[in-house]
């Protein structure tokens, strides 16, 4: 049995790979740079003795993602799919060029759909496994920043609802985590209004959730309250917020 | 931050190899490990510190030779656990598990018996170093030897150490038998330190500096050997420590008076009492508890450390001088540690034939004047202060005590033409 982590070279994905390897999972690590993946793979093989395969892919190209996923060896079967891939851009505004917006939607949403669609038959055949998505509090309410990213993450939530619905009668479990601020490169150096969780804390939480049927869970949990407040904040106040 | 010096500096924390190609930073850079140096060696004003701790992986391990390849941001504690599980260890390590391999190479740190083991460079087989003008270069005693020797002990000024191949040794046992010998005075301590350095796996003196009169300069000499008795179980993994440079900088006003010094020494005495006898290798390499409490007191308002090597023969006089000046300037001496050294200093290497004395005094009051007195003694007697331990050391003192400092400067001028790397320390010492 193997576990695929998409976006495993850094941040939450890397912490996930370590936490999974510590539990004995053999891994397929996916990201754009082989040097990062090979370093992590060597470390996991040496320190934890697990089997690790590296796959270089650019999530802005969903077709390629589907092709590469299809070529993954059938044995040992890949039964857990975790999507830690995420891409943001400082130029992601309401005025961004179509290609730029498309790249963000592809990397954050369409590639996840492409990978799931390609590998789902393997999970169905085994009638077990997990599909884990990572959303963002950016999806709570659209703002004048991370425009396409937030739209993609909102789309991801809808997509995971669909997955959960489609797979409800199977042995496959679906989990979507809406993450608050996490201390990774994505948030490094940003002035944030609320405290950050560590990538390790988040990864532990996600690994503990494997095998469970999770509609949508906030991590850290206090973000559920923040989400409620932001969602219900009167427009007159929200429009003035700069964040 | 470190060493009582606070500047507004920028921090970057790369976590992917692509950073080396895409980094278009035009401001000066300086690598940073765990930030645990007492001197301001990994930051400076208007300089970008490159926190390398995300590069923390073990890349290769050869069971037959024990050579382990690691990324430079790995912490010693993690590496210790990995090696210990394979029956191996690094003989030369500094005293805290959060310190990174990059920091050990760059400061060419010493371990528990520098006279016998030398400094960190002795266990480095090769390095990969990144410099924006040169790309990634491999260096060892055989290849790019000058670069290798200038980088080991080069205080991050030759570039970013990306990875290192280190020679581990078989761990003869998981425990050390530590004997504690009472020494009545400095002369006795020096003789015992020197005579023990050939065989022992651990040799250091603990000087009871808070005492006065005839007891001053005496204390204990700790002697450790790997246990010949069967092990009581394998080495235990090191619990991660919450001690960090951040914790140090956040400290409230520490114990700045005689009572504080007394309390610290007392606590340390208790700790020594416990560790006399069998001590796990982890505890011997990374002593915790009371000593950790002590090190927590470093920081903005915390302690100055002064570590210098003096010739064996001058050691008793040096201690007497320390005692006299401390009394004259009303400076409270807190902790003193002595270690036997040997060898010659090239570039910025902290090496030499003699005994090193490290003393800690609370910062403030006339502590600067006290340290200036020690400078004078060390310069006059041909001693050598440790650059990484002292955030204050003036350039003239470094110039007078490091015979190859000019060669290091020349090497830097040739290798780092654009002056891409600098730190508060390098600016102070004009390196
Ligand atoms: C509790 C304690 C015990 C200690 N015991 C000892 C001891 O027994 N013996 C001893 O010799 N020292 C000892 N020290 C000092 C310590 O080993 C050194 O200060 C060491 O350099 C700290 O490493 P760091 O990872 O914290 O690096 P930092 O303090 O962040 O940096 C130290 C230097 O290394 C450079 N550097 C860091 N990473 C890299 C890299 N990847 N590439 C290039 N340069 C880099 C920095 O630029 C800087 O010049 C001790 C310190 C403490 C706090
Ligand atoms: N950090 C936060 O505060 C935060 C908050 C909410 C949600 N999230 C979400 O958490 C997840 C993990 O993010 P993180 O914080 O860990 O970010 P990160 O440190 O930047 O890591 C992102 C990972 O995704 C990979 N990736 C990015 N773009 C890619 C592409 N085009 N093709 C292939 N791989 C790509 C990266 O690998 P390469 O760059 O090497 O390809 C890396 O492994 C993301 O879904 C993110 O949206 C993060």
């Amino acid at each position: 049995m193997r576990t695929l982590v998409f976006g495993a070279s850094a941040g939450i994905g890397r912490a996930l790979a370590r936490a999974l390897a510590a539990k004995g999972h053999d891994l397929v690590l996916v990201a754009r740079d082989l040097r990062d993946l090979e370093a992590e793979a060597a470390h996991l093989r040496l320190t934890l003795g697990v089997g690790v395969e590296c796959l270089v892919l650019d999530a802005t190209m969903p077709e390629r993602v589907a092709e590469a996923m299809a070529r993954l060896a059938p044995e040992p079967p890949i039964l857990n799919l975790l999507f830690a891939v995420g891409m943001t851009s400082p130029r992601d505004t309401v005025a961004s060029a179509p290609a730029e917006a498309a790249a963000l939607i592809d990397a954050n949403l369409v590639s996840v759909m492409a990978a799931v669609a390609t590998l789902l038959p393997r999970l169905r055949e085994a009638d077990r496994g997990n599909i884990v998505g990572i959303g963002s509090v950016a999806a709570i309410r659209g703002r004048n920043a991370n425009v396409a990213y937030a739209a993609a993450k909102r789309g991801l939530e809808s997509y995971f609802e669909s997955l959960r619905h489609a797979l409800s009668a199977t042995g496959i479990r679906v989990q979507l985590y809406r993450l608050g601020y996490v201390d990774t490169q994505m948030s490094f150096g940003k002035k944030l209004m609320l405290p950050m969780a560590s990538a390790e804390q988040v990864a532990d939480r996600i690994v503990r959730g494997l095998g469970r049927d999770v509609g949508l869970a906030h991590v850290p949990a206090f973000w559920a309250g923040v989400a409620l407040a932001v969602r219900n904040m009167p427009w007159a106040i929200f429009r003035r917020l700069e964040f | 931050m470190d060493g009582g010096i606070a500047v507004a500096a920028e921090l970057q924390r790369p976590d992917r190899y692509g950073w080396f190609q895409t980094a278009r930073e035009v401001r000066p850079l300086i690598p940073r490990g765990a930030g645990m140096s007492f001197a301001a060696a990994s930051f400076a004003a208007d300089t970008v510190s490159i926190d390398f701790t995300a590069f923390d992986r073990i890349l290769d391990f050869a069971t037959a030779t024990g050579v382990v390849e690691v990324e430079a941001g790995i912490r010693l504690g993690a590496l210790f656990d990995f090696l210990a599980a394979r029956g191996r260890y690094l003989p030369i390590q500094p005293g805290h598990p959060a310190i990174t391999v990059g920091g050990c190479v760059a400061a060419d740190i010493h371990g528990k018996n520098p006279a016998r083991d030398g400094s960190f460079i002795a266990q480095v087989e090769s390095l990969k170093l990144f410099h924006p003008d040169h790309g990634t270069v491999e260096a060892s005693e055989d290849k790019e030897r000058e670069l290798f020797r200038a980088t080991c002990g080069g205080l991050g000024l030759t570039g970013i150490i990306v990875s290192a191949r280190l020679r581990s040794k078989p761990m003869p046992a998981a425990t050390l038998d530590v004997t504690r010998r009472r020494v009545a005075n400095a002369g006795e301590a020096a003789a015992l330190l020197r005579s023990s350095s050939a065989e022992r796996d651990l040799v250091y003196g603990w000087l009871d500096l808070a005492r006065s009169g005839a007891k001053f300069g005496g204390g204990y000499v700790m002697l450790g050997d790997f246990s010949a008795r069967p092990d009581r179980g394998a080495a235990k993994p090191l619990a991660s420590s919450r001690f960090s440079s951040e914790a140090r900088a956040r400290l409230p006003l520490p114990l700045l008076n005689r009572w504080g010094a007394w309390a610290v020494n007392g606590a340390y005495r208790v700790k020594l009492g416990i560790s006399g006898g069998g001590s796990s290798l982890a505890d011997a390499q990374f002593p915790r508890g009371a000593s950790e409490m002590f090190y927590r007191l470093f920081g903005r308002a915390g302690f100055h450390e002064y570590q210098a090597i003096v010739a064996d023969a001058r050691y008793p006089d040096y201690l007497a001088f320390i005692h006299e000046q401390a009394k004259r300037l009303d400076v409270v001496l807190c902790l003193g540690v002595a270690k036997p050294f040997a060898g010659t200093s090239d570039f910025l290497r902290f090496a030499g034939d003699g005994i090193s004395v490290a003393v800690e005094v609370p910062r403030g009051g006339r502590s600067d004047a006290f340290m200036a007195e020690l400078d004078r003694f060390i310069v006059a007697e041909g001693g050598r202060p440790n650059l990484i331990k002292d955030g204050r050391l003036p350039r003239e003192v470094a110039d007078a005590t490091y015979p190859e400092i000019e060669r290091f400067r020349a090497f830097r001028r040739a290798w780092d033409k654009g002056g891409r790397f600098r730190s508060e320390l390098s600016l102070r010492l004009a390196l």
Side-chain angles (χ1 to χ4, degrees), chain B residues 145-185:
Chain B
R145 184 161 190 273
E146 287 284 285
L147 178 61
F148 179 71
R149 295 198 70 86
T151 299
C152 295
L155 302 171
L157 298 167
T158 58
I160 301 172
I161 299 156
V162 179
S163 62
R165 293 181 67 81
L166 307 174
R167 300 184 198 101
S168 69
K169 285 219 172 123
M171 192 193 285
T175 52
L176 281 170
D177 291 331
V178 182
T179 15
R180 191 181 48 161
R181 299 262 185 87
R182 187 92 183 85
V183 281
N185 56 47

Side-chain angles (χ1 to χ4, degrees), chain B residues 31 33-37 41-42 94-95 99-100 103 106-107 109-110 155-156 159 161 339 388:
Chain B
M36 293 184 69
S37 297
S42 57
I99 291 171
T100 68
I109 62 86
H110 55 267
L155 302 171
I161 299 156
K339 290 180 182 174
I388 197 73

Side-chain angles (χ1 to χ4, degrees), chain B residues 82-355:
Chain B
F82 174 80
L83 291 172
R86 285 149 189 83
R88 303 192 75 94
Y89 82 119
L90 293 175
I92 308 161
Q93 302 201 68
H96 201 282
I99 291 171
T100 68
V101 163
C104 290
V105 174
D108 198 18
I109 62 86
H110 55 267
K112 299 284 180 281
N113 183 355
R116 186 193 66 180
D117 302 333
S119 53
F120 205 80
I121 189 173
Q123 55 196 16
V124 182
E125 189 172 86
S126 65
L127 295 173
K128 280 200 184 110
L129 181 78
F130 173 81
H131 187 291
D133 300 345
H134 306 277
T136 303
V137 185
E138 204 176 313
S140 66
E141 289 283 1
D142 308 320
K143 205 171 146 190
E144 299 281 357
R145 184 161 190 273
E146 287 284 285
L147 178 61
F148 179 71
R149 295 198 70 86
T151 299
C152 295
L155 302 171
L157 298 167
T158 58
I160 301 172
I161 299 156
V162 179
S163 62
R165 293 181 67 81
L166 307 174
R167 300 184 198 101
S168 69
K169 285 219 172 123
M171 192 193 285
T175 52
L176 281 170
D177 291 331
V178 182
T179 15
R180 191 181 48 161
R181 299 262 185 87
R182 187 92 183 85
V183 281
N185 56 47
E188 216 175 276
L192 186 55
L193 287 169
R194 182 59 59 196
S195 65
S196 314
S197 65
E199 301 112 59
R200 303 294 185 151
D201 296 305
L202 169 150
V203 195
Y204 68 89
W206 177 77
L207 313 168
D208 207 348
L209 297 173
R211 300 283 177 90
S212 57
K215 285 181 176 166
F216 188 87
Y220 297 103
V221 170
M222 310 299 290
L223 301 172
D225 296 301
F226 277 103
S227 185
R229 289 168 289 145
D231 285 349
R232 288 162 299 188
K236 277 185 253 98
L238 282 162
S240 71
S241 166
R242 269 170 299 162
F243 177 56
S244 66
S245 56
E246 287 77 19
R248 205 166 68 207
R250 274 199 309 269
L251 281 173
L253 271 195
L255 312 158
L256 277 174
N257 53 39
R258 243 167 253 288
W259 292 109
W262 178 84
V264 169
N265 269 274
Y268 205 71
R269 241 176 256 137
V270 171
K271 164 85 172 146
L272 286 180
I274 294 165
S275 65
S279 167
S280 80
L281 176 58
D283 284 343
Q285 294 234 2
F286 308 119
R288 279 166 293 171
S291 53
E292 175 122 327
M293 174 186 115
F294 176 79
Y295 283 114
R296 274 177 183 276
L297 302 177
F298 282 95
R300 184 169 303 186
F303 285 74
H304 273 308
E305 170 156 338
Y306 196 96
Q307 181 184 23
I309 301 171
V310 287
D312 289 19
R314 304 298 292 141
Y315 176 80
D317 285 348
Y318 181 47
L319 284 196
F321 182 79
I322 292 175
H323 185 40
E324 191 185 301
Q325 295 303 323
K327 249 169 67 186
R328 184 174 74 80
L329 294 164
D330 195 27
V331 163
V332 186
L333 293 166
C334 288
L335 198 67
V337 173
K339 290 180 182 174
F341 270 73
T344 47
S345 166
D346 63 334
F347 290 115
L348 301 180
R349 203 167 319 290
F350 181 63
D353 291 322
I355 291 175

Side-chain angles (χ1 to χ4, degrees), chain A residues 197-208:
Chain A
S198 74
E200 290 72 25
Q201 286 168 335
V202 170
D204 278 349
R205 174 71 176 74
I206 292 174
V207 171
R208 266 188 283 125

